[in-house]
Amino acid sequence: MMEVDHLIEHIRSYNPKVNEDLIKKAYYYTKEKHKNQKRASGEPFFCHPLAVANILAQMHFDETTIAVGLLHDTIEDTNATREEIENIFGKEFSYLVEGLTKLNRLDNYSQKAIQGENLRKFLVATSKDVRILLVKLADRLHNMRTLDAFPPEKRIRISQETMDLYAPLSARIGMCDMSEELQDLAFRYLNFEAYTTITERLKYLLRTNENLLKIIEDEISLLFKESHLKARVFSRQKRPYAVFFKMKNKSLAFEQLSDIFGFRVIVDSIKDCYRALGLIHTNWSVIPGKFKDYISLPKPNDYRSIHTSVIGPESQRIELQIRTNEMHEIAEYGLAAHPLYKEIGSRSSASLLNELNAYAWIRKTLQILMEGGNPEEFLEHTKLELFQDQVFCFTPKGKLVTLPKDATPVDFAYEIHTDIGNSCIGAKINGQSMPLLFPLRNGDEVEIITSNTKTPVEAWANLVKTGKAKAAIRRATREATYEQYCLAGQDILTHYFEICGKQFNEKDLVPILARLNYEKIKDLYVSIGKHEQKAEDVLKIIYPNGENLNQDFDEKNETLPDSCVFFRDEASPFSFNYSQECIKKYISPIDKKYNYCTISFCENGAIPGDSIIGFLNNKNHITVYPARSQTLLKYEHRDKRWIEMRWNFYKIKDNLIENPQHFAVKISVFLRADIGALARMTAILAEQNANILYLNVPYQPRGHSELIFVIEVEDDKHLEKIFKKMQETKVVSLVKRIYG
Ligand code: MN
């Protein structure tokens, strides 16, 4: 008989209405496509898809699944395309075969590291149609059966993956037989010594116990016969990996295992299961703690049986599994033997071909499995549908990270560790530098670049997808801001005590906290730092009679030009919003007693190279002006408030800063109103690496324009160079700095 006829007859044995044409078409198409290819073993490649189809037939799957089993490697390994398969077999087939092609690519990822739980989720997410999964399992089973032809490292890798992923997966969808075979095959490659030892021992035990097993079988059968209970009784031996697993898991020696042999009792009905149980329990002594009724309480994968252990015939300790024929089939064949499947099969072949109907029950089963509630079982938290809302990415070391759809590298960073999230400054996706808020896609490899800073950008909190990242960003920015305000408040208060001629002592604050409605001293500092609480009021409470308070600084309602930004959470018209941390790194008052003050730049900016002067307002804030600024003249009479400032810039530049900080400065450019003049100016700024923060064109005298820019430059030399470049264009008649 021809191979293809053999396959068709096999299917016909459980499905009399088999679609012969479909199977033949898939058979000849695949055979033709793979015709000149060989497997690693040297056999024609076509052996493999044919074997996969036969495995699927053995599990009693429908002809669509079996045809896909034949076609499964065509897109991956031959010149077949999705379009071609769609034209010949239809959309359903091209979709399924392409799904399998995608799954093959997953194998390359899992090579790096196997993360059982997450990888299984990835697998399920990728196989939106359960049939893809079924064919993949059959594919893996055949590859495992023929693994000897592969090179040694590949054998180990594939075996490990089988052990960690495919064996548990098949067990979870009820294919216990397949799962056990996969485990034994993988076990042989992963731990050859243990495998051989255990296999030899099992063979020996079977030889020496053959008679005993027969005696026990007969005695149990006789018991049922005498009670007119129709039952089949047979013995079975535990499989090598199951033995190994139990020895390892329970730290037992081989000799200590009591359940190497077990007996199965197969009866016709559930009622008979309990009758058989009763007979066994009344004839032999029950071993306590071994009785389990999986009929009234089935396992999540729909396994049903009664388990019990007794001191049975010949005083042997024996394990028994009692089940109906139907339960037995489900335990062996898994989903294919499920009553729901049969129900659909008996309706019409049309409904079998309809994916939605024919496989709804498998989905349903998967869903039930996932709701199973056993934390050790896979897929515990999530329903299948939820996987569609997830994206699966990898670290450079191959660790899989599961995130919600549209998650960003920032989410990824926080998912790995809060510290990595807080200090991330850049990301590479599949080796390319990408924005930190770029949405990730399935299979992306993400590398996070970090710096020493520990404060994330506050605005990220609204752009990230995971709750974990949002909460962490809010916490980190809140903490950073809180600490900033706290330090500022403490400095303000200390300074205020000082100028009032009083000794500051933190202990003096404790008794007044309740009156001011604060729980902690730190809260009081923060409030002062935010200027919500006046430092003078604190002093007035401690010194109610105002004795000897130096009122020198008690000036009200003084207004100064609004300086730019105090803290990161206040917006500014331009991007002058350097954080205090940043400003204080570059500028400090020469007199350290003003260190408590906050600092900002005047609205026209100051750049390194300028000599600078600070002006102290009564809010404990210093605004920094270039010494040439005209504004300072307005405050000449208040020269007591003028504070000497200095740049720390160059020192820092040499030691620490790779990319020098840029500082904002306002400039005016007069030019001839030629077409393209503005573009030339902006091109020069871009060439010179000067960011434009603001551009205004205030008025247009005939034939001329004035452009007002706020640009960011490194220092005065950088600015000079820009001026020179602009003047070289010859459209520029005058370029100057605006000091204000
Ligand atoms: Mn294959």
Side-chain angles (χ1 to χ4, degrees), residues 194-209 237 243 247 253-256 260-261:
Y195 174 85
T196 328
T197 313
I198 290 173
T199 313
E200 289 306 317
R201 293 289 287 276
L202 287 173
K203 274 187 200 154
Y204 171 78
L205 275 180
L206 192 61
R207 270 202 311 275
T208 50
N209 286 295
Q237 191 181 31
V243 170
M247 285 168 66
F254 191 91
E255 294 72 23
Q256 291 171 285
I260 300 283
F261 295 106

Side-chain angles (χ1 to χ4, degrees), residues 45 48 52 72-73 104 139 143:
F45 188 90
H48 168 64
V52 170
H72 82 271
D73 275 330
N104 281 341
D139 175 38
N143 283 337

Side-chain angles (χ1 to χ4, degrees), residues 428-433 445 447:
K428 282 186 177 172
I429 301 177
N430 303 323
Q432 295 234 330
S433 285
E445 185 182 290
E447 185 186 341

Side-chain angles (χ1 to χ4, degrees), residues 414 418-426 449-456:
Y414 276 104
T418 307
D419 284 347
I420 294 184
N422 285 343
S423 56
C424 76
I425 53 161
I449 298 150
T450 58
S451 79
N452 293 328
T453 60
K454 283 282 180 276
T455 315

Side-chain angles (χ1 to χ4, degrees), residues 640-656:
K640 266 203 260 169
R641 299 273 191 102
W642 289 23
I643 315 286
E644 297 271 41
M645 304 293 287
R646 65 145 193 257
W647 293 96
N648 308 320
F649 183 75
Y650 291 102
K651 187 181 76 195
I652 286 168
K653 186 179 179 180
D654 289 338
N655 294 335
L656 293 167

